[in-house]
Every structure is written in structure tokens, then in C-alpha cells.
Amino acid sequence: MKNIAVIGANFGDESKGKTVDYWVKKLQEQQQDCMVIRYSGSNNATHTVYKNLTLYHAFSSIGSGGFRNAPTYLSQYFIVDPVALAREHHSLKQKFPAYDAPIYIDPRCRLVTPYDVVINRLKEHFAGEQRHGSTGNGLNECIQRQVSVPFSVQDLSQSIDILRKIHAYFLKFLNQYDQMHLDTLNAELKKTVLFCLDADNIAIIAEKYEELYASHYSLSCPNLQQYSCIFEGSQGLALDQDAKHFPYVTHAKTGIANILKICQEFHITLDQVYYLSRCYLTRHGYDPFFNQQYHHDVQDDFKIYDVTNIKNPWQGAMQYDYLNIDEMEQRIAEDFQQCATIFPHCQSSRVFSCLDQIQAKFKVYSGGKLVSFSNFQQFLQQSYPQTWQDFILHDHPCNDPEK
């Protein structure tokens, strides 16, 4: 069995879903059973995979090997929103009726509640232009709430009692906003706040959570030794909770740390790590440290085609910059060094996507300045002189979803 990690090297949106789907396909061709493991984050990390030019799905909780019926394991480090998971499962079955892969949910998984989601969205709403740029799915608020009112999959039998405590926690949070503040909410958010305020709805929410006992979920840990495991990352290294852009990051370990813990717990090895990047830099959300000087220049130099990362009320529009190859390689080196003593045989590789979007000369930050190359291959030769010939270039991958 070959175990692989797929990790974003920057701020996310680096083709993690496409890469996971690719490796599931390759390993299945070698007659290997694959397991896709979500090892961090929550349904805030959405990875879009095209099965063909018309059929696609945004994998948020289910692993991105879904179109190839690869099982999913939501590890203890993944935070589960049962309502979002059920909605996604239904959506995938509607689009792709052949999907029948098991979904394993670790009993230690923490649970997001509607109260966490509403608190997240209220914070973002009242922060105005200084908002964090959260996805509005309540990940950070869930983690903060766990300190005083913990709630995980193994607590489902007590869900209604725990949700009552979380409801009280929510009311305490709301005390900081008077009615005048709440009157500024848009209709959708105000409706959600009113739903959560009503204590009679606790039983309705509890019923949704207890649906996790449904037959298509297994509330247990699989035997990972029986599979080739593909660890699917959330966001990227620059958004790790310990990254230098703190506090404008995600409350999750986006790199190799959780993967190593899972490998040690289940007595499996890690053989290969793929660090992913577009050929330019992308960033969602508010971050005063992110350089926007060349935002429009990047759009001129790259024919950016992205149907999934559209402007939304919580993250706003995507921001662009040229790729800083030195900073990226430093992040990768710091992350991968954790692997050295545990799995000395493990190797790391780079995956660059969106190469078909390069229109003119290829530009990156290197050596503290913006450097121009005649094409991407010249960049590879100069930046990776020892290994550039090992790179495999696919022409126009957007025209062939199988690549």
C-alpha cells in the first residue's frame, strides 16, 4: 500500500480536490483499495472535482475521491457539521447515483452546531470591512465553544441536553448586541438568528444530529492498514493556525502534523507528500499582510478561469498576487521536516496547477524581487535545477478533467 498526503502550499485553492481524484484513479488502476482521509478543518474547505465537462461536485465533508467511490474517513481532527454532511451526501447522490462508498466518522470528531454558525456570521457582519473573511461555517466558533461546552460524535446520545447548554451559551453571546444592532441584519441572517433564539427548536436540531446514526455513516474508525490512504488537506500552509499571518488564518493544522499523528495511531507509514500551488497566488478573506499591489497585473498576465471561487457575502472576492517561490519553499521545508525522524523514506514533491492560464511571460518573486521568465519551463530550470526534468507537464488540463 502507498500512503499519500495532498497539502496546499499557500492560502488554499490549489487544486487539492483534483489531485486527490487523480491519485485515487491511479491507485485504483493498480488494484489498490483507497481511503480518502480528511485530516483537518471542516466543511469550510470545499474542493471541486469535475467527473466530465458537465458533471462536477464541490466536496466539502466527503473526500474528493467520491466520483470513484473511494471511502471517506473523517478523522478526529475534522469538525463535522451533520446538517451540511447530509445535504452534501444527498446532493452527490442526486448528481451521481452510483455513489455508495462508506463514510467513516471518528467518534472523537467535534460537532458544529447552528449556534456556532450564527455566532460566526454575526461576528463577521458587525466587523464590517475588518471582517476575518471566514467562510461563515462556524469552525473557529465551534473550537472556542468546546472549551466550555464540548460536543462530539460520541456524545450524540446526550445531544438534546448538550444542545440546551449550547443554546444558553448562544444567548449569553447575544447579550452584547441590542435589538438595534440586530435590526441591521439582512433577512436571511435575521431569520437564522430568530430560529436559534427559539428554545422550542432545540429538539428539531437534536433530531438532525441523531440522523448521523443513519446506515450510510459508520461512527467508527476504519482499519487504515487495509487501504492506500490519501490525506486530503484543508486550505494551505500559509493559513495554518501557527502561520505568520496570524490571526488572519484558520483554526486548523493544515500541514503534516495531524497526518503524522494519524499514521502513528493506526500504525501506518507516510510515503509521499505532494505540496500544491497554482502558478500565481490566491487569497480569500481580509488580511492586511497580503500584498495586493499587483492584484490587477496578475489578472492581466494570467487568463484566470475559476467558476467555483466566486464572490460571496463572507469571504468577498478572490485576491491575487504573484507567487513568492522563496516563501513557499520555506513553508514546505518547515512543514516537511517534521516527517524526517518518523518516516525518513518519505519524499516530497511539488504540484503546480493552472499552467494553461499563463498568457505572457511567467513572473514570480524570487530573491526578494519580481523576476520574469520567458516561460514556465525556464522557471523550473532555474528554480529547481536538480529536479526540473522530473516535472511532468500536462497540456491544457481544463480541457480534459481526467488529467
Side-chain angles (χ1 to χ4, degrees):
M1 297 298 183
K2 183 176 183 179
N3 299 319
I4 294 169
V6 175
I7 299 175
N10 303 307
F11 293 93
D13 302 297
E14 302 113 332
S15 302
K16 288 184 287 292
K18 192 181 194 73
T19 304
V20 168
D21 174 77
Y22 171 84
W23 274 110
V24 170
K25 177 189 176 186
K26 300 299 284 186
L27 292 169
Q28 287 179 344
E29 288 173 349
Q30 298 170 23
Q31 306 303 309
Q32 296 193 36
D33 293 327
C34 296
M35 173 74 71
V36 179
I37 302 173
R38 288 278 190 152
Y39 68 85
S40 70
S42 182
N43 64 311
N44 62 327
T46 299
H47 304 150
T48 302
V49 177
Y50 279 78
K51 181 171 174 60
N52 53 48
L53 293 176
T54 57
L55 176 60
Y56 65 93
H57 180 75
F59 290 93
S60 298
S61 297
I62 299 172
S64 294
F67 279 140
R68 304 187 188 280
N69 262 321
T72 295
Y73 170 43
L74 304 181
S75 77
Q76 66 164 306
Y77 306 107
F78 185 85
I79 296 178
V80 177
D81 183 331
V83 177
L85 174 58
R87 188 186 305 121
E88 181 186 350
H89 189 269
H90 175 75
S91 173
L92 182 57
K93 285 287 290 183
Q94 289 289 105
K95 300 174 189 174
F96 185 53
Y99 176 72
D100 63 355
I103 299 173
Y104 296 90
I105 305 177
D106 194 305
R108 296 167 290 183
C109 284
R110 292 160 290 182
L111 292 169
V112 172
T113 70
Y115 307 105
D116 303 314
V117 174
V118 171
I119 290 173
N120 182 186
R121 296 182 179 185
L122 285 172
K123 285 181 178 178
E124 291 290 90
H125 172 80
F126 290 116
E129 293 183 359
Q130 303 300 306
R131 64 182 183 271
H132 184 83
S134 162
T135 57
N137 290 331
L139 169 65
N140 185 62
E141 285 63 35
C142 170
I143 293 171
Q144 292 175 337
R145 188 256 307 151
Q146 293 285 335
V147 175
S148 54
V149 192
F151 189 25
S152 62
V153 171
Q154 59 196 0
D155 301 322
L156 281 172
S157 61
Q158 310 165 56
S159 59
I160 196 158
D161 292 330
I162 294 174
L163 284 167
R164 286 195 182 104
K165 294 178 182 177
I166 298 175
H167 180 260
Y169 174 94
F170 171 68
L171 295 180
K172 185 177 179 181
F173 167 82
L174 273 190
N175 284 339
Q176 65 187 292
Y177 300 112
D178 58 27
Q179 187 61 44
M180 186 178 298
H181 280 115
L182 295 179
D183 285 341
T184 67
L185 305 179
N186 62 51
E188 181 181 357
L189 182 52
K190 190 170 186 177
K191 180 180 177 181
T192 309
V193 171
L194 293 175
F195 176 85
C196 289
L197 273 171
D198 190 343
D200 291 339
N201 291 326
I202 293 174
I204 298 173
I205 297 171
E207 184 179 343
K208 290 291 183 182
Y209 280 64
E210 289 164 6
E211 287 177 4
L212 276 178
Y213 289 119
S215 58
H216 46 256
Y217 304 132
S218 176
L219 307 186
S220 63
C221 302
N223 181 359
L224 298 184
Q225 295 180 14
Q226 296 179 351
Y227 298 91
S228 280
C229 298
I230 303 174
F231 293 89
E232 180 173 359
S234 62
Q235 291 88 29
L237 296 178
L239 287 180
D240 186 274
Q241 64 186 40
D242 297 322
K244 71 174 187 178
H245 282 244
F246 184 88
Y248 308 101
V249 295
T250 186
H251 204 141
K253 289 284 190 180
T254 60
I256 207 168
N258 289 348
I259 298 173
L260 297 178
K261 291 178 183 177
I262 294 170
C263 287
Q264 290 178 302
E265 178 181 355
F266 290 90
H267 306 291
I268 61 175
T269 63
L270 184 63
D271 304 299
Q272 185 77 41
V273 182
Y274 292 95
Y275 289 101
L276 277 55
S277 174
R278 292 194 190 195
C279 52
Y280 49 88
L281 202 60
T282 63
R283 175 71 161 102
H284 261 131
Y286 176 72
D287 183 350
F289 302 113
F290 187 83
N291 176 33
Q292 298 188 54
Q293 177 183 355
Y294 294 113
H295 174 81
H296 296 292
D297 291 29
V298 172
Q299 291 177 301
D300 290 337
D301 287 344
F302 297 88
K303 188 178 181 181
I304 298 174
Y305 177 75
D306 194 333
V307 296
T308 57
N309 291 290
I310 57 177
K311 185 176 181 178
N312 62 70
W314 306 111
Q315 290 185 305
M318 187 86 88
Q319 303 161 62
Y320 302 106
D321 191 12
Y322 293 107
L323 184 64
N324 189 317
I325 196 65
D326 300 327
E327 289 188 359
M328 187 188 85
E329 286 299 330
Q330 182 180 354
R331 282 193 292 270
I332 292 173
E334 291 173 354
D335 188 64
F336 189 69
Q337 71 178 359
Q338 303 173 63
C339 212
T341 55
I342 302 174
F343 302 118
H345 71 284
C346 187
Q347 298 180 328
S348 71
S349 298
R350 312 291 178 267
V351 176
F352 289 99
S353 62
C354 302
L355 304 185
D356 57 315
Q357 298 178 7
I358 301 173
Q359 294 195 98
K361 292 183 177 181
F362 181 69
K363 298 176 185 176
V364 296
Y365 294 109
S366 180
K369 59 183 179 180
L370 192 59
V371 181
S372 180
F373 297 91
S374 59
N375 52 48
F376 189 77
Q377 185 166 314
Q378 186 190 31
F379 157 74
L380 290 180
Q381 288 176 281
Q382 294 192 27
S383 301
Y384 301 92
Q386 305 301 318
T387 59
W388 75 271
Q389 290 179 317
D390 295 332
F391 278 81
I392 300 172
L393 298 179
H394 289 300
D395 290 332
H396 307 295
C398 292
N399 294 331
D400 185 355
E402 289 296 316
K403 287 188 177 179

